[in-house]
Every structure is written in structure tokens, then in C-alpha cells.
Amino acid sequence: MENGLYLLRVTRAASAAQGVALLRDGTLLGGDSLHWWEGAVTSAGETFSGELTIHKHAPGPSIFGFFAFDLVTLALAGARAGTQWRAEARSSAATAAPLDLSLRLLRPA
């Protein structure tokens, strides 16, 4: 994955959240109006994996509310899909369904 500014979108059923993420040498950092996230990714060819921790910083309804936490860590595993990187994101909560995560490069570093 190329260093740069990405649009990060997480979807679950009919709900979605999106914001921006800066990828710099494997470290992801970003946020939206309700959350900020930090994590690390590694890529090899057309695949990538990593971990993303999502922190809630403001009150309001959240796509991540079904975890019942203001902090959740997701394991990522995915691949390039055209101009995006797409992944399945799973939390350690056994009852939580996986989320779909996509990253689209907005501006290279």
C-alpha cells in the first residue's frame, strides 16, 4: 500500500461510517466526526493485513455502537480491488458480525 491520505469507509448491513486515514510507513491514523482511529497495516503484493483500533470521541449514534464500547479493535485481512483496498474487519467479540472496510487513496504522500 502506498503512503498517502485515504478515504476509509466501514459498512455493516445498511449502516456506514467514513472518514480519512493517513497511511505512513505502515501506520494508519485518522478519524471522522465521532471517532478517531489508529492502527498498523502490512501489505505484500495485492494483499494486506493489520489491526485498527477505533476510539469514540463525541456523543451520537455510531455504526460501532453494536459493540457496546467506546473503544474497539478490529483485525483486518484483505486485498486490492481495482482502485481500492477492501478488507473484512473482525472484532474480538465473538458475537459481532464482520464489517466491510475499504480504503481509497485520495492523495499520495
Side-chain angles (χ1 to χ4, degrees):
M1 293 179 77
E2 183 178 355
N3 285 339
L5 181 66
Y6 285 80
L7 173 67
L8 184 144
R9 182 171 173 83
V10 179
T11 57
R12 177 181 184 257
S15 299
Q18 68 181 22
V20 294
L22 181 64
L23 176 64
R24 180 81 177 178
D25 300 328
T27 299
L28 266 177
L29 204 59
D32 65 13
S33 61
L34 294 175
H35 309 92
W36 68 277
W37 36 77
E38 61 182 331
V41 295
T42 57
S43 61
E46 300 293 306
T47 62
F48 78 103
S49 62
E51 188 173 272
L52 186 66
T53 300
I54 300 165
H55 308 260
K56 189 170 181 186
H57 66 74
S62 168
I63 185 176
F64 306 109
F66 53 83
F67 290 117
F69 301 106
D70 288 342
L71 173 76
V72 64
T73 299
L74 303 172
L76 310 175
R80 181 186 292 275
T83 61
Q84 299 183 32
W85 292 85
R86 300 185 63 85
E88 181 176 271
R90 293 188 170 270
S91 92
S92 57
T95 59
L99 303 168
D100 293 316
L101 180 137
S102 67
L103 292 160
R104 182 172 53 87
L105 184 64
L106 297 174
R107 183 173 180 178

